[in-house]
Amino acid sequence: MNRLFLASFLGFLMIACGPTQVKPDGDGDGDTNNGNAAPGDTVPPTVKKEARELFELAAQAKKQNNQDKAIDHLKNAIESQSDLGAAYYNIGKIYEKQGDLEQAKEWYNKSSEKGKEFGAGYIGIAKMYLDQGKRSEAEGMIQKALKVEPLNEEAHLNLAEFARQRKDYPGAVKHIRTALKSNSQNVKAYEVLGRVYYDLGRPELSKLVCEAGLQIDKDYAPLNNILGLVYLKLDNVTKAIAAFEDAVKSNPKYVPSLSNLGALTFGYRDYESSYRYFGEVIKVEPKNIEAILSKAVSARALDRVDEAEKGYKEVINLEESNVGAHYNLGILYQEHKNQLEDAIKEYKLVLQYDQRNAELRKDVSQRIQSSQIQIQNQKELAEDLAREKARQEAEKKNPPPAEGEAQPNG
């Protein structure tokens, strides 16, 4: 396996232990039970009977995919009881799913402004900012949510994740502990804490945290994924694979574990499995560049050269400056298709796009030189063959005299 092939797979192991942003709305289905009930939840006694019934009607309309009717029921619930933060919130969620982000933001704002100690609306806006890459704005909205609802678990876990990314581990732990005080069964808190200990280089502690969280929810894929990474740190590949497989069993579309399994099976030369796992990643994320590249590498290992070439080119179409794709395409042209001029072109693009990796640049420069020598050798060989062919053709036209025959006089 060449060096860059390996690097592309190890990258998955690093990505997989990176941030999976905690979703501000909890389970991601648009409903929340922070402080007030949402459609489909058990409505607390503080909600008036009329509003309770309207919540249930809204839930039924959502199940029937009649979003306009669901909004009407929720608005009627608000008229019946104006401080129902969850009603405003779920209207916002419907608008967000429909792509009307301005309306979504407006209703999320209302949910936290009018709902009693209801911070989920501000967190909904924070999630929208995160989706747009506006990290500072998102963090500001989460802080605003905590002013309304100081013990909001999602807010604290998002802030813990931000702190972890900044390597502010004490700050991260502080927010996690606050979330656990509010709800000791919050499995996401165990996930973020497991990552903190993993980052700190304390795999045994991370393992204990993951195992404790899995006792709460044995099918929580992110915890099994972190546990797999921990086992890799502890040099127990068998248990690592089992943990990643458990994650995929509980969530067949969980990309980090699919990617890690793809990387590990490739490392053990099980190229068919590696090809399959990365294919599953692409089904979930069709534009996942690392997965497309790695599937192409697996295809090349299976001697599916044309498919590998197609995969590398697909990556380049998505990201023109992708060094890994250009490098691997160069190798494919040099070592498998004897398209040496094309190989040199790809290697030169590697040098153009990667100015820092001295080892890679040295390797690519040597490959360019080697390809140029191959081209020259092939050219000289072709010239030799052409001369030999010409000699043979000349002999056919003017065969030499047989032995003993008289030579013609000049």
Side-chain angles (χ1 to χ4, degrees), residues 45-270:
T46 53
V47 177
K48 294 178 181 178
K49 180 181 178 182
E50 182 181 355
R52 181 197 304 266
E53 292 171 351
L54 288 164
F55 264 81
E56 295 302 329
L57 289 172
Q60 292 174 22
K62 284 179 68 178
K63 288 179 181 178
Q64 296 165 1
N65 201 29
N66 191 337
Q67 306 302 332
D68 291 339
K69 191 173 183 180
I71 288 174
D72 288 339
H73 287 312
L74 290 167
K75 286 181 177 179
N76 289 333
I78 290 168
E79 288 182 10
S80 173
Q81 189 172 340
S82 62
D83 64 348
L84 291 175
Y88 298 96
Y89 178 90
N90 282 287
I91 292 173
K93 195 66 181 179
I94 290 171
Y95 281 124
E96 184 183 0
K97 287 183 176 179
Q98 292 176 340
D100 191 342
L101 301 185
E102 288 302 316
Q103 282 274 26
K105 186 175 180 181
E106 178 182 339
W107 285 93
Y108 283 149
N109 260 318
K110 288 180 180 178
S111 73
S112 288
E113 289 172 355
K114 298 180 181 294
K116 184 179 180 181
E117 296 183 358
F118 192 83
Y122 292 143
I123 300 176
I125 297 172
K127 179 183 178 295
M128 290 168 61
Y129 281 138
L130 285 173
D131 290 342
Q132 296 165 10
K134 298 178 179 179
R135 168 76 170 267
S136 60
E137 290 91 337
E139 193 163 356
M141 291 305 300
I142 293 171
Q143 294 287 2
K144 194 173 180 179
L146 286 179
K147 291 180 181 179
V148 174
E149 188 182 351
L151 295 180
N152 185 288
E153 299 164 40
E154 286 76 21
H156 281 290
L157 291 180
N158 274 282
L159 292 176
E161 182 61 26
F162 291 151
R164 186 188 74 84
Q165 292 173 26
R166 293 193 299 266
K167 301 188 186 301
D168 175 13
Y169 299 118
V173 171
K174 181 179 178 182
H175 283 295
I176 294 166
R177 286 176 177 170
T178 303
L180 287 171
K181 284 179 184 177
S182 178
N183 178 9
S184 63
Q185 300 297 297
N186 189 323
V187 71
K188 289 181 181 177
Y190 288 88
E191 174 192 350
V192 182
L193 186 59
R195 287 179 177 176
V196 167
Y197 286 133
Y198 181 90
D199 290 353
L200 285 169
R202 304 181 71 180
E204 291 291 356
L205 270 178
S206 182
K207 177 174 174 287
L208 290 173
V209 169
C210 291
E211 289 172 344
L214 288 169
Q215 288 181 6
I216 298 169
D217 184 355
K218 65 182 177 63
D219 294 324
Y220 190 66
L223 277 176
N224 271 314
N225 187 67
I226 298 169
L227 190 59
L229 294 170
V230 167
Y231 279 127
L232 286 178
K233 283 274 189 185
L234 299 173
D235 295 323
N236 193 329
V237 177
T238 301
K239 285 192 174 182
I241 291 174
F244 293 139
E245 287 177 342
D246 284 342
V248 172
K249 285 177 187 175
S250 61
N251 183 355
K253 296 182 178 182
Y254 190 65
V255 166
S257 289
L258 288 169
S259 300
N260 287 334
L261 286 167
L264 287 172
T265 51
F266 186 93
Y268 284 100
R269 301 180 182 275
D270 183 359

Side-chain angles (χ1 to χ4, degrees), residues 1 5 42 124 132 201 230 248 309 334 376:
M1 190 193 317
F5 285 0
T42 301
Q132 296 165 10
V230 167
V248 172
E309 180 182 8
Q334 180 185 10
Q376 182 62 32

Side-chain angles (χ1 to χ4, degrees), residues 8-40:
S8 70
F9 287 96
L10 289 180
F12 272 118
L13 300 180
M14 293 184 284
I15 290 168
C17 67
T20 299
Q21 187 59 48
V22 178
K23 299 299 183 184
D25 62 354
D27 58 11
D29 64 3
D31 296 338
T32 177
N33 56 9
N34 287 343
N36 293 292

